[in-house]
Each structure stands twice: as C-alpha cells, then as structure tokens.
Amino acid sequence: MRLRSGVFASCCLLVQALGVGLFLRGFFPLPVRSLPRNGAAAEPPPEPPPPGLSSNWTKGPSPLFKKAVIVLIDALRDDFVFGSKGKQFMPYTTQLVERGTSHSFVAEAKPPTVTMPRIKALTTGSIPGFIDVIMNLNSPALLEDNLIWQAKTAGKRIIFYGDDTWVRLFPKHFVEYDGTTSFFVSDYTEVDNNVTRHLDKVLKREDWDLLILHYLGLDHIGHLSGPNSPLIGPKLSEMDGILKKIHTTLLSKEGEVASPCLLVVCGDHGMSETGSHGGSSEGEVHTPLLFISSAFDRRNGLQKPTELVQQTDLAVTLAIGLGLPISRNSVGKLLLPVVQHNTMREKLRYLHMNGFQLSRLLQENMPAYEKDPGFEQFKVAEKSHGSWMKLYLEGNTSEVLLNFGKKVLKQYLEALKTLSSSLSQQVAQYDLYSMVVGTVIVLEVLLLFLISISKALSARAEFEVPLSPPLCSLLFYLLCLTLCAIHVVVCTSTGSLSYFCSISWLSAVGVIMLVSGLLCVLLSALEKRFLNPKLLVKNPAASTSSWSELDVLILAGTIGHVTSLGASSFIEEEHQTWYFLINTLCLALCQDICRHYFLAKEHDLQLPSTAQMSPAEVRGTSSHPMKDVELLQDDLKKTRFPLSESAGGSEKWMALATPWVILICCRLLRSLNQTGVQWAHRPDFGHWLTSSEHKAELSLLASVSLVLIFILVQRKCSLVSKIAMALGLLGVYSYRAAIGNVVFPWQQDSKDISKGITEARFVYVFVLGIVFTGTKDLLKSQVLSTDSKVKFIGLWEIYSGLVLLAALLLRPHNLPVLVFCLLIQAMMTKFVWKPLEFDAAQVTIMHYWFGQAFFFFQGNSNGIASVDIAAGFVGFDHYVEIPAVLLTGFATYSGPLLWALHLLCYLSSDVNRNPAAMGHGCFCYALLHSIPVAAYIILVTGLRYHLFIWSVFSPKLLYEGVHVFISTAVCMFFTAMDQNHSRKGPV
Amino acid sequence: MRHTEIKRLLSVNVVCIASIILTTLVPSLFLENFSVLGTHLIWLCICSASVGTGNVILYLIFKPNPSMRRNSIAHKVAKFIRCCVYFFVSCILFHGIIVLYGAPLIESILETFLFAVLLSTFTTLHCLCVLGPNFQAWLRVFSKNGAMSIWDNNLQITTMCSVVGAWLGAFPIPLDWDRPWQVWPISCSLGATFGYVAGLLIAPLWIYWNRKQLTYKSR
C-alpha cells in the first residue's frame, strides 16, 4: 500500500499514542481507594463477639482527649528537633522529649514531598499516589473521607491558622480560619506572625475542640538559604517559644476539667541539604512527630531511640484519640504508645477497629484479598480477641487474662503491620506486562519511522508500506498465536492485576494482532530496504551531499537531548538544554546568513576549480560525487545571487541582525521565569512583576504586549478577524483588570475584584468567532478555489484565534512570551527561512526546538507544581471537567502548540515552492516526538527503582505522554490540510 | 619544503602547549594557595597572559604570513593599535555571547569577562598573529575552501576546537554532583583550554595525514 508521508506519519503516531497510553496505565497504578465518603459516617465495628455471649460495649469508644492542638511546622526535619540543633535552639521541646509526658517518633513521608499531598496524607491517612496528585489538580477541595471532615461531622469546632492550602482543601470546615499564602518565599517572619497573632486570644477561649496551626516560615528559610543557614536557629527558637506557650496554657486548663488535652507537633516534609524538597532523600523524608499530653506517663530519663513510623499513622491515631471514626482510605496503623495508658480492653478495641478498617479497604482493592497474609492474621487475631472477651466478661482478672491479652495485642500488631504494608505496596507496584506491551508498540513504530526516513523525505514524499504480503504470511499468524498463548499464560498464572489482562478479550487480541502485524511490516520493510541493491547505491549520494554545519548541529542536538534524559539533573534542568540548543542554533544561523550574503561574492570571484578541502568537509567523505554536488551547489548559489542583490541592502542587514535580536529576546525571556530546581529560587522578572507593588508596571507591560500582539498578528488576517482580534485583546485586558492583575489608568483605587466571568466569556466568543472564520475559509479553499492563498489565510486565522486564547489563559506576566514568540516567528520567516530557502525538514526541526524552549520560557518545568491550574477556571463559575482539562492543557502546552501551528502556516505558504513540504514537515514533526518518547520509556523502565523515580522521572514521563497525545492531534490536523491540497492537485 | 613547514608548525604548537602546562605549575612556586580550581581567576589571568605573549613572540619569530608591503614605523604602530582594538572588541563580543547563553548579567561579571578574555586569547589573538587585523582575510579563512597555507588550517582547527571545547564545557554545570569544578566559569574555561590543547595537537597530525590532498593556491 502506498501512503503519503504525512498520512503514514499520522498513522504511526496514532499507534504510538496507543502504546504510550498503555505504558502509562501500567506505570501509574491507580491509587488505593475506597468509595468516596458517603452521607453518614459508618458505624464503628462492634467488638468481636465472644462465642455464645454478646458484648455490652457496642457504641464507639469515647474520646481520649478533650481538645487537641496540631502544630504543623513546614519543612521541619527530624534533626531540627532530635538532633544537635534541637538541643541548642529548642530547649523546651527537647526537655519534653527527654523527660516530659510525651511520645516522640520519626515519621517517614512518602514522595512527592510537597506540602499539599503531605497534608492529604496526614489528614486522610492514605498515600496520595502520583497520579492522584494529577487527578486532583483540578478539584481543590478534598473529597475523600478525612479526619477534618469526620471531626466536623461529629460536631467538633475546628479553628485553623496557617497555610491557605488547608482552607482550599477543606472549605467550610473551619469555624474560624486565617489563611496565609506561601507565595512570597522571601518573607519568613510576617508569614508566621500572621499565625501567632491569633494564638493568645484563641488559647484563652473555650469554644473550640481542634486547633490547627501551620507555620511556613521554616520552609521559606530553607528555600532561601538551606538547612544550615543562620536564620534557622532563631526560627526554631521562635517555634519552641510557641510550643511552650501552647503547652503551658493547655496544662493550666487541664486543672479545671478532667479530660486531658493533646498537643501534636509534626512536620509535613523535611528539607534536602540544599533546602529544597519534593524528592526522596533522607532529609526530605524524615520528619519529627511528637505527641504531648499530661495523660502520658512521665519519661524517666531513659533515652530510647525514636521509633520510625509512617506519616499516615497520624490520621488513625488522632481519630482514635478524638473518638472519631477512622477515615476509610487510611492505610495507617495505630501508634500504640499513645493509647498505652488505657485498659487492655480499650486497647484491643482500638486495634480491632483499625484492623477492621484496613481489611475492608483491602477487600475493596484486591479481588484475592482472602489469600493476603495480613487478612489471615487479622482473622486469627479477631478470633482470639473473641475468646479473650469471653474470659474477660466472665470476670476473670487473673494473670492469665493479662498475658492472653498481651498475646492478642501482639497478634493484632503483626496483622496491622502486614495489612498496612501490603496496602501501601499496592500504590508502588508496577504493572510490568502492560508496560512491556506498550514499550514494544512504541519501539516498533520508532523503527518503522527510522527505516522510512529516506523514502519519506524524498521528493515524492511517499512511502510504500508493504501491507498485504506480510499480513498473509505464515509468520504473522504464528506470531499472533504465540502472543495469544503468552497472554493467556501471563494472565492466568500469577493472578497478577495487570491492566492489559483486565481489558476485554477482543481488544486484547486486537492489540496483539497490531503488535505482530507491525513486526511483520517492519521485517518486510527492512528486507526491502537492504536487500535491494539499487536503492543502496542511489541513497548515499543524495543523503551525504547536504551535510552542512546546521545539519550536524541539528542531529547532534537531537541525539544529545535524548541522551541527556538519562540523568535526573538534566531532566530537572531540561530548560537549560533547550536554551543552550536554540542559542547555538541562532549562532549557526548567523553563520549561514553571513555565508549567504558575504561569501557568495567570493564564490563569484573565485574560479570554480578552486575546490579545496576545508574543515567543514572533514566529517564527510571526500569522494568525487560529493565534489560534483558541491560544484552544483555553487552554481545554484550563483544563479540565486542576483536575486538577493536586487533585494537591497536593508534586507541584508535585517537578516544579519535577526539571529542577534532573537538571541536577545531569548535572554530576556529566560530571566522572565526561572524554572527548574537548582536555580528556581533565584529572583526573576516574573515574581517582581506579579508582586502587588508593581501593578502599574505590569499593567503597562500587559497593554504594550497586547498592542504588539495585535500588530504582529493582524498582518495576514482578513478584515473581519482583524476587528474581532482587536476587540478580543481589549477583552483580555479588561478580564485582567477585573480579576485584579492589572489596573486601568482611570480607576486607580478600585477594590472590587470579581472572577471576570463576563469578560472571559466575551473573549471566548471572539476566539470561537475567529476560529470559525478560519475554518470557513479552509472549507472554502477546499471546495471552491484552487488558490492556496485562501487556505493560508484560513490557517492563519485559526492560528490567531489560538494566540488570542493563549493571551487570555497565560499568567499575566507571560504576555511578553507571546509577543516574543510572534516576533521571532515573523522575523525568522521573513529574513531567514524564506530568503535562505531552508528545506521543510530543517524548518520543522527548528520549529520543534523553539516550541520546546517556549514551553519552558512560559514558566513550565518538568515538575508538577508549575502547571497553572487557574487556567482551567477562566470564565467558569465552578469547576467543569472537560473545559477545565482542555484549557489547562492548552495553557501548559501553548508554546509548542503555537509553534506547531505556525509551522503549518509556513509550510502551507511554502507549498508552491515545494509541493512535498507538508508531507516532509508532518513526517519530521512526528519523528521528532517519537524519538525522545521511545527512548524515555525504555529509560524509565530501566530506572523504575531509582531513588528519584517519583520526584523527577515520573512527572517528566507524564509531560512526555501528554505531549505525544497533543502532537498526534496536531499531526492529524497536518494530514487533513495536506489531504486537501493533494486532492486539489490533480483537478 | 612541506615537511619542514609542518615541523615548524608542530614545534610552535608544542611550545604553546608547554606554556599552558607551565601556567598551571609555575605560579604555585611564587603564590601561596595557588590552584587552578581554588584561585581560578588568577589562573585565568596568568593563562591568558602567558598564552598571549607566547603566541605573539612565536609568530614574530616565525612570521608565517610575511607581508610584502612597506614597513614604516607609523604603519606598524597603526597596525598594533588596530590589533588591540580588535582584541578588545572580540572580548566584548564573547562576553555578550556568553551572557546571551545564560551567564548572569551583573553578578560574577568579572568571571565572565575573564573567561571571554581567555576565549579571545585562544581564538582572536591567534588570528591576529597569523592574519593581522585584516577582516577580509579572516572571512576568507573561515569560509569553505579558504585556507591558503598550513598555518591557516592550523588556525581553523585550533579556533574551532577551543570554541567547541568551551561549548561542551557548559554541559556539566546543571548536574547535581556539587564538585568544585562545576562552578561558573571553571568547567567552561577548562573545556576551552582542553579544546585548545587538543586543537594544537590535532592540527599538525591532520595536516600531515592529509598532506597529499592539500594543495594551496596563492591568490
């Protein structure tokens, strides 16, 4: 079957997207999850009934503590309390830990060690899986069953002061709250004073049951100057003073009422040696966890090493301490020392409740839960608990009862440990079978791409896909049968929870046929390619002739980028790679332009016979055909020369200036948004502009940018869309003014800030209008005229509509990114690509590189935190899933998308010169996306037990995956455009 | 003729390499606490100065491109001043390019500038010595098929190697190894130096290897 390279590329990319999807599904297991919380809280399980009797304690246990205060200190590392720093700067806490009535633990946080997932872990007791963080990006409120919700339902009054993440996670849960924002990292005093100022008043009052304080200052100091900074000491002392104040107030109150109070001190995550967090180094993961209450026994100086527990254990311990039902998704286990002072019956009851909840969670998540050792242990323990109850109710109070109780206790603890760990493991288990199938598909497609390069990029831009012979061959059927057999064996043998096994039988067979079919096609294409000697002779002359420095750079850059993905630092700092590459590209272009404008003269003067060796040719072979080609090129240059001469001097100087202007633009953009990890804390223009003192500057910048966008975009639009564009950009400014980013000059001090829904919808109308006009033009060009001009205008209108949408969605200080994007595109097109007649493949690669660089210029990084979720809410009252996902996706990938669309516009205008340009462009675009994703998938599979897999490699994998889906869509659009043209051709 | 020429070239290059090696060893005799990594700025100054003077002296002795024109004192002075201006402009230009590549604009400006001086020494000064302040000649040498003697070839190779070395030297900077040589601009200047040394070694070998194909034509 003969396919044009565009169609071929889109088909391949589509199959590849399928493979990537399968791989991602296998790589990111769904989180352990119970049903969402339902209306009423489930009744706590009764005590296991002793045989023949019934228990007289069926209601839930009463709370152990009357009031609880949770002090969460952001980025509190374990050695800040238990280490030498703690001794030096936190004397009161140290004294409490060593001799006071307290229990201290080291709680281990699971990566990603970022505040929001950590708060979720602390309150729900579940482990927010990686994918969970992504899934919940859109919904700010925590919908899972959690401690705070349970407390509120139980009628407890909760007061919260601190990081406003809590306020967003638990809206309407607190009777009183004051959220502080963690946006200004350089502020580490005010942010804590805003919490502490409420403390005196609140501690005097009696009208609360749970007080939560979240201090951010320490984290900010860590980000600013690391864990060894001199600022840490005073901050720890300040925290110590606060703890002392709270503790003494609580103690003085306890005199009045019988029930004791509880003070919990914990950190959400630690900090690394550089002061950042998010990864899984020891300093980031280990946090202190302190329970202080007069109910506990006083420690008698005996220094035990602090026990290592999980952060998730806090939720269940607090739930029991406050007499609340345990959250359904909690995988934590009760910290027994906290309930040490209770009677044996109570302790057993608590452990039973905990075990019951864990085993129910296991039942909901694992089909074969009965075989789980933890479940079996729990059943045994439950049974012996029943017999203990029998003894107890019979009134036996001897030593036997105590010893038997201890034995049951031990059984319960064992069972809890096994249950908890098997539940936690489920979060981190890879579905290797799906991953392998996905990888195989991706690799086969990549190989097919690589084999077809020379044919697809030839002048005909066609590729002969050998479809019918391999599909009828014996090999194909044999492969299908073998793979089906393997599928059956894998799925039935271990009882593994592979996703690929759980999909329907028919689709599994379909995928298997696809895999084997691709393999057969690949083999026959290889055979055709290498066993046909004629092709081999023809190709080298065509391929090696045109290796200029630019081509070498492009090849080296692509390979270099792919290899750099193996190092976690290079992934964190991927923006550096792209900035470096496009800078070098600009310099190489500068050289090319110089050669084009200056040395053509020299060539004119020199005799053609003075073909000498130069270092540029060292790379190639010095065979004779090559020299011929070179002479041919020289001739071509000479014929081209008069043209450029007649174009005049100004164009020449503009062309020479273009790379430098672009370099300066890129340097400015680079300092607009600092991204990455190592240098992310450096001050940048973006933060300077968004801080509230510089509103006037931001307004000026935004308005200038909008005017420039209009000037740059309107050149090629029709009149109607010009007007629509202008109105739309005005709408963008008024939207920004409405949400309070910028100000109109005439309303300096208006305070009313709305969500700007009307304004945003106003802009959406124009976006849709412009895109609609564009589509209409495209259809018109397809049906009626044969003029490619109309089609170009249609494409450009669609492009400008998306520019308008990007102007609306991007962060307010990122409008210059859009301006520079348009400026660079315009300059490149006018002065570099068109006059120097780069071929479609080179232009495509340059577009791809710039697209990648702009992805980072707009402030993205390879971490999840930099995704701007606010873009999904623009113009909507509340969260609506599909538009929110689409808008967030567009805002995140607007750089690469706009460059891809510009490529389409450019190639469609270039089509007269080279009819195969569209096909070449589409093929190159698909290939460029396919190489890194295939390499990265293999890499991630190899590194799946790497220390940084969840903090560094997985987010990047998600970004790559989404990028492949988006580029598949773009490629389809490409092909559709190409289709129109070719259909028109023969007419 | 050809062989003696290549031998002369080789000896010049070996002297240049030796001068670079000496700059890392000799100063520690006179200066306390001197090390290439620790006191990098001092090393940058010493290295640029010694390579620069070495180059100038060597090319005054060997005179690869003897000019046939008049040699009045005034002409020589003018030429010298033009050389200085060219060198200074190239330092500024390199500094600009390095900043465009992402070096901080204001902080560590001294480091950046000294690195630019080092790069200029390896490239521009070398060109000035061989070709003189003649922009047309530079354009000729750095275009395809422009070399007119083995000195020109040598120039092409060493210049390219130093620039590529500096370019490659930037790659280790983002890695989180926390090594002393990852600090700006140490890895880049070391890369440039290694590139320059490699170029000095490769050039005679390459010319020797390709001596059959190399046919120079004087204009």
Side-chain angles (χ1 to χ4, degrees):
Chain A
M1 193 169 69
R2 190 165 273 280
L3 282 180
R4 285 201 328 287
S5 35
V7 181
F8 170 71
S10 327
C11 291
C12 283
L13 211 55
L14 202 63
V15 175
Q16 188 157 40
L18 173 81
V20 171
L22 202 58
F23 181 88
L24 288 180
R25 185 62 180 74
F27 189 83
F28 295 109
L30 281 195
V32 177
R33 174 172 299 253
S34 175
L35 298 166
R37 64 180 188 212
N38 36 21
E43 277 296 301
E47 278 185 301
L53 288 164
S54 69
S55 160
N56 55 357
W57 188 24
T58 46
K59 283 198 349 198
S62 56
L64 303 175
F65 306 102
K66 190 172 76 72
K67 281 176 194 289
V69 179
I70 301 173
V71 180
L72 201 161
I73 302 171
D74 215 287
L76 187 66
R77 217 158 79 159
D78 61 339
D79 64 330
F80 288 168
V81 176
F82 304 134
S84 60
K85 278 213 182 76
K87 284 204 175 62
Q88 193 182 346
F89 299 113
M90 302 186 84
Y92 188 78
T93 317
T94 312
Q95 175 233 322
L96 275 178
V97 167
E98 280 171 1
R99 283 190 298 280
T101 54
S102 70
H103 293 293
S104 49
F105 306 93
V106 172
E108 189 183 359
K110 287 265 186 298
T113 45
V114 189
T115 300
M116 210 255 280
R118 290 306 99 216
I119 293 176
K120 281 188 185 173
L122 286 171
T123 54
T124 63
S126 64
I127 301 172
F130 198 80
I131 205 75
D132 202 45
V133 179
I134 314 295
M135 300 267 191
N136 290 317
L137 276 180
N138 43 38
S139 72
L142 184 59
L143 295 175
E144 271 178 75
D145 191 3
N146 61 69
L147 187 76
I148 309 296
W149 182 76
Q150 293 283 10
K152 189 187 164 240
T153 329
K156 306 243 177 207
R157 287 151 302 172
I158 314 166
I159 294 183
F160 172 76
Y161 299 117
D163 187 358
D164 63 352
T165 313
W166 286 77
V167 183
R168 273 184 277 129
L169 279 175
F170 307 105
K172 299 185 187 140
H173 282 59
F174 306 119
V175 289
E176 195 180 313
Y177 63 85
D178 181 17
T180 55
T181 168
S182 70
F183 191 69
F184 302 111
V185 174
S186 52
D187 161 38
Y188 50 85
T189 44
E190 202 61 26
V191 77
D192 284 353
N193 290 342
N194 281 345
V195 179
T196 315
R197 65 180 173 179
H198 301 286
L199 210 53
D200 284 324
K201 259 186 290 165
V202 154
L203 286 176
K204 270 186 208 131
R205 282 163 28 192
E206 283 295 325
D207 59 342
W208 53 268
D209 303 299
L210 183 60
L211 172 65
I212 304 172
L213 307 169
H214 187 152
Y215 283 99
L216 283 168
L218 187 64
D219 183 48
H220 289 188
I221 292 177
H223 283 296
L224 276 179
S225 48
N228 298 318
S229 139
L231 297 170
I232 295 272
K235 183 51 82 178
L236 289 179
S237 307
E238 183 192 334
M239 292 294 130
D240 194 47
I242 289 163
L243 291 179
K244 183 176 179 183
K245 183 194 275 174
I246 297 172
H247 190 222
T248 44
T249 324
L250 287 181
L251 281 180
S252 68
K253 273 191 182 176
E254 270 173 21
E256 301 153 21
V257 280
S259 183
C261 299
L262 175 69
L263 170 61
V264 180
V265 183
C266 58
D268 57 346
H269 51 73
M271 59 172 83
S272 66
E273 280 310 304
T274 55
S276 66
H277 57 85
S280 49
S281 72
E282 198 166 306
E284 288 164 273
V285 168
H286 286 172
T287 62
L289 175 60
L290 251 68
F291 292 87
I292 305 163
S293 169
S294 57
F296 303 148
D297 301 329
R298 187 168 287 273
R299 291 244 186 122
N300 39 7
L302 206 77
Q303 192 68 304
K304 273 191 297 179
T306 41
E307 195 186 338
L308 185 68
V309 298
Q310 292 298 314
Q311 210 176 29
T312 45
D313 298 344
L314 176 68
V316 53
T317 311
L318 272 179
I320 297 223
L322 296 172
L324 302 169
I326 303 170
S327 316
R328 301 169 64 119
N329 297 334
S330 161
V331 298
K333 48 191 191 301
L334 179 64
L335 297 173
L336 201 61
V338 177
V339 294
Q340 201 71 57
H341 58 285
N342 293 70
T343 62
M344 179 60 83
R345 186 183 184 184
E346 284 168 333
K347 276 192 267 185
L348 288 181
R349 177 79 203 272
Y350 298 144
L351 286 172
H352 176 247
M353 277 163 54
N354 192 191
F356 185 81
Q357 174 262 334
L358 284 178
S359 57
R360 201 176 50 179
L361 189 61
L362 192 76
Q363 277 176 36
E364 282 161 3
N365 279 289
M366 203 185 279
Y369 66 95
E370 273 157 342
K371 283 184 213 148
D372 191 83
F375 190 76
E376 283 166 6
Q377 283 173 357
F378 174 67
K379 283 291 160 206
V380 171
E382 200 175 27
K383 203 169 274 172
S384 34
H385 186 182
S387 8
W388 184 87
M389 282 301 300
K390 187 172 182 220
L391 275 180
Y392 178 81
L393 289 177
E394 279 166 359
N396 194 339
T397 50
S398 66
E399 193 80 353
V400 181
L401 186 72
L402 190 67
N403 285 337
F404 188 33
K406 277 185 182 161
K407 197 185 137 207
V408 180
L409 203 74
K410 207 177 244 172
Q411 279 179 335
Y412 265 133
L413 285 179
E414 283 292 309
L416 287 185
K417 205 171 167 186
T418 327
L419 275 172
S420 172
S421 69
S422 70
L423 276 168
S424 325
Q425 259 169 25
Q426 211 183 334
V427 180
Q429 215 168 39
Y430 298 107
D431 172 4
L432 213 54
Y433 184 45
S434 310
M435 279 163 67
V436 167
V437 176
T439 314
V440 167
I441 294 177
V442 169
L443 276 187
E444 282 177 346
V445 171
L446 179 68
L447 285 177
L448 202 57
F449 265 131
L450 291 179
I451 287 173
S452 58
I453 284 182
S454 62
K455 285 302 272 300
L457 290 186
S458 66
R460 289 180 59 84
E462 278 179 337
F463 182 64
E464 178 84 57
V465 183
L467 211 55
S468 49
L471 286 190
C472 301
S473 68
L474 188 62
L475 181 68
F476 173 65
Y477 294 109
L478 276 179
L479 262 176
C480 275
L481 276 178
T482 326
L483 288 178
C484 282
I486 292 175
H487 182 69
V488 170
V489 168
V490 168
C491 288
T492 50
S493 64
T494 51
S496 64
L497 293 160
S498 175
Y499 168 73
F500 193 54
C501 291
S502 65
I503 60 174
S504 81
W505 180 236
L506 259 175
S507 37
V509 170
V511 172
I512 286 172
M513 280 173 67
L514 184 71
V515 169
S516 38
L518 271 175
L519 192 65
C520 292
V521 168
L522 200 62
L523 283 177
S524 65
L526 263 178
E527 188 190 353
K528 232 175 137 182
R529 175 93 167 70
F530 287 108
L531 297 186
N532 208 339
K534 273 183 202 162
L535 280 173
L536 271 180
V537 176
K538 259 190 206 166
N539 279 330
S543 59
T544 50
S545 64
S546 51
W547 280 103
S548 68
E549 283 95 333
L550 199 68
D551 293 320
V552 173
L553 171 69
I554 282 173
L555 190 70
T558 310
I559 294 172
H561 168 244
V562 170
T563 41
S564 80
L565 293 178
S568 58
S569 321
F570 276 129
I571 292 178
E572 282 172 347
E573 310 288 327
E574 199 192 344
H575 57 288
Q576 305 275 8
T577 315
W578 286 115
Y579 298 166
F580 203 70
L581 282 178
I582 58 166
N583 269 334
T584 314
L585 179 73
C586 282
L587 289 181
L589 280 179
C590 184
Q591 190 216 11
D592 255 25
I593 294 167
C594 279
R595 184 173 294 163
H596 179 76
Y597 282 109
F598 288 127
L599 294 177
K601 272 178 211 159
E602 303 258 330
H603 271 281
D604 246 7
L605 296 174
Q606 270 175 0
L607 291 170
S609 59
T610 54
Q612 293 158 354
M613 287 301 286
S614 79
E617 287 168 57
V618 178
R619 303 180 195 98
T621 52
S622 53
S623 58
H624 276 288
M626 194 174 148
K627 273 193 179 162
D628 290 345
V629 173
E630 210 167 86
L631 290 181
L632 208 82
Q633 276 185 332
D634 286 354
D635 286 346
L636 273 175
K637 244 179 209 166
K638 262 186 277 172
T639 53
R640 214 191 298 152
F641 185 66
L643 270 175
S644 58
E645 186 77 324
S646 63
S650 72
E651 188 153 318
K652 170 175 151 184
W653 293 113
M654 280 307 289
L656 283 172
T658 301
W660 299 100
V661 173
I662 293 171
L663 279 172
I664 291 168
C665 289
C666 290
R667 186 67 180 87
L668 288 177
L669 285 177
R670 193 187 171 108
S671 40
L672 186 66
N673 285 308
Q674 285 282 357
T675 72
V677 173
Q678 280 193 50
W679 295 284
H681 58 276
R682 288 266 182 97
D684 56 15
F685 279 138
H687 281 98
W688 186 83
L689 282 170
T690 39
S691 68
S692 49
E693 305 98 80
H694 301 117
K695 218 176 217 179
E697 285 91 335
L698 184 64
S699 311
L700 184 69
L701 187 71
S703 45
V704 170
S705 305
L706 289 174
V707 170
L708 284 175
I709 289 174
F710 178 70
I711 293 170
L712 284 166
V713 162
Q714 52 87 30
R715 292 170 299 137
K716 298 169 186 170
C717 285
S718 61
L719 184 66
V720 181
S721 43
K722 254 182 216 178
I723 296 166
M725 190 78 197
L727 287 174
L729 289 173
L730 272 180
V732 169
Y733 193 83
S734 50
Y735 167 73
R736 299 263 178 234
I739 61 169
N741 291 146
V742 297
V743 284
F744 282 118
W746 57 86
Q747 39 156 212
Q748 284 297 338
D749 48 342
S750 70
K751 289 283 182 207
D752 53 329
I753 289 170
S754 70
K755 286 174 91 177
I757 291 170
T758 332
E759 289 86 350
R761 287 187 179 162
F762 178 75
V763 180
Y764 282 144
V765 167
F766 285 110
V767 170
L768 289 178
I770 295 173
V771 170
F772 176 74
T773 331
T775 322
K776 195 193 72 193
D777 279 351
L778 278 183
L779 288 176
K780 204 163 76 186
S781 82
Q782 188 183 345
V783 178
L784 297 174
S785 81
T786 48
D787 185 17
S788 68
K789 183 90 179 154
V790 181
K791 190 169 128 193
F792 172 73
I793 289 179
L795 280 174
W796 186 266
E797 271 164 355
I798 290 182
Y799 172 70
S800 53
L802 291 182
V803 168
L804 181 57
L805 185 61
L808 178 69
L809 295 181
L810 286 182
R811 294 181 179 93
H813 64 275
N814 272 346
L815 283 173
V817 178
L818 211 54
V819 175
F820 283 133
C821 172
L822 292 169
L823 185 72
I824 291 175
Q825 285 168 352
M827 289 190 80
M828 280 289 224
T829 311
K830 187 139 195 286
F831 300 115
V832 182
W833 290 325
K834 289 236 160 116
L836 267 70
E837 298 182 10
F838 283 106
D839 65 24
Q842 284 172 326
V843 173
T844 308
I845 294 171
M846 287 183 216
H847 270 95
Y848 174 72
W849 283 19
F850 272 104
Q852 291 299 102
F854 269 84
F855 177 75
F856 294 106
F857 278 143
Q858 62 184 82
N860 288 322
S861 69
N862 279 334
I864 292 301
S866 59
V867 176
D868 182 21
I869 314 141
F873 290 87
V874 173
F876 289 95
D877 247 337
H878 52 275
Y879 175 69
V880 192
E881 185 161 0
I882 293 172
V885 169
L886 284 180
L887 289 177
T888 314
F890 177 77
T892 312
Y893 286 93
S894 57
L897 260 176
L898 287 180
W899 277 91
L901 274 176
H902 184 265
L903 173 69
L904 189 56
C905 294
Y906 174 81
L907 289 180
S908 76
S909 73
D910 202 36
V911 109
N912 293 332
R913 194 162 63 78
N914 177 8
M918 284 283 235
H920 288 177
C922 184
F923 182 82
C924 275
Y925 188 74
L927 180 66
L928 280 175
H929 280 92
S930 153
I931 294 173
V933 88
Y936 194 66
I937 276 180
I938 297 170
L939 244 160
V940 163
T941 314
L943 296 175
R944 65 188 182 283
Y945 297 114
H946 193 278
L947 183 62
F948 293 151
I949 188 76
W950 296 111
S951 54
V952 178
F953 290 104
S954 313
K956 170 71 184 159
L957 181 65
L958 274 177
Y959 275 112
E960 279 293 327
V962 176
H963 203 172
V964 164
F965 296 137
I966 288 178
S967 57
T968 310
V970 170
C971 238
M972 307 279 254
F973 188 54
F974 256 80
T975 318
M977 293 300 106
D978 195 19
Q979 204 90 23
N980 298 345
H981 175 76
S982 66
R983 201 177 297 156
K984 220 165 45 196
V987 173
Chain B
M1 157 70 191
R2 170 123 296 169
H3 278 279
T4 54
E5 193 83 3
I6 292 177
K7 268 181 197 155
R8 276 176 69 197
L9 178 70
L10 185 66
S11 58
V12 168
N13 285 0
V14 165
V15 172
C16 279
I17 294 172
S19 76
I20 288 180
I21 295 173
L22 283 181
T23 54
T24 62
L25 300 178
V26 171
S28 55
L29 301 178
F30 303 104
L31 295 169
E32 269 178 63
N33 303 329
F34 176 84
S35 70
V36 174
L37 298 185
T39 52
H40 190 68
L41 292 186
I42 298 174
W43 178 76
L44 275 180
C45 295
I46 293 173
C47 188
S48 324
S50 73
V51 170
T53 44
N55 259 327
V56 170
I57 292 169
L58 281 171
Y59 285 99
L60 283 181
I61 296 169
F62 284 93
K63 281 204 176 68
N65 282 353
S67 63
M68 300 301 165
R69 277 174 271 169
R70 66 209 161 83
N71 278 328
S72 68
I73 299 291
H75 183 75
K76 272 187 177 163
V77 168
K79 201 173 162 186
F80 179 74
I81 290 173
R82 268 173 70 196
C83 280
C84 289
V85 169
Y86 270 53
F87 183 74
F88 189 69
V89 168
S90 98
C91 287
I92 301 284
L93 199 69
F94 270 119
H95 188 103
I97 290 176
I98 294 165
V99 168
L100 289 178
Y101 260 97
L105 184 63
I106 295 159
E107 48 175 307
S108 65
I109 191 165
L110 186 67
E111 282 90 338
T112 312
F113 187 72
L114 284 179
F115 174 48
V117 170
L118 185 81
L119 263 182
S120 303
T121 318
F122 288 159
T123 55
T124 318
L125 192 71
H126 205 170
C127 290
L128 285 171
C129 289
V130 178
L131 303 171
N134 176 359
F135 198 68
Q136 285 301 319
W138 291 25
L139 269 180
R140 170 179 59 75
V141 169
F142 287 102
S143 62
K144 255 183 186 171
N145 316 329
M148 294 209 306
S149 69
I150 59 168
W151 299 95
D152 290 358
N153 275 117
N154 180 40
L155 189 64
Q156 285 175 344
I157 293 172
T158 48
T159 307
M160 219 170 61
C161 283
S162 350
V163 172
V164 169
W167 190 79
L168 289 176
F171 278 92
I173 296 178
L175 290 170
D176 58 354
W177 297 341
D178 291 331
R179 294 296 144 87
W181 48 264
Q182 277 179 293
V183 181
W184 171 253
I186 297 181
S187 61
C188 282
S189 52
L190 288 185
T193 314
F194 283 127
Y196 181 60
V197 171
L200 289 177
L201 285 176
I202 290 169
L205 292 178
W206 185 82
I207 291 167
Y208 182 75
W209 202 256
N210 291 302
R211 63 190 183 281
K212 295 271 156 48
Q213 281 99 324
L214 290 172
T215 49
Y216 299 110
K217 215 163 226 178
S218 59
R219 193 171 292 203

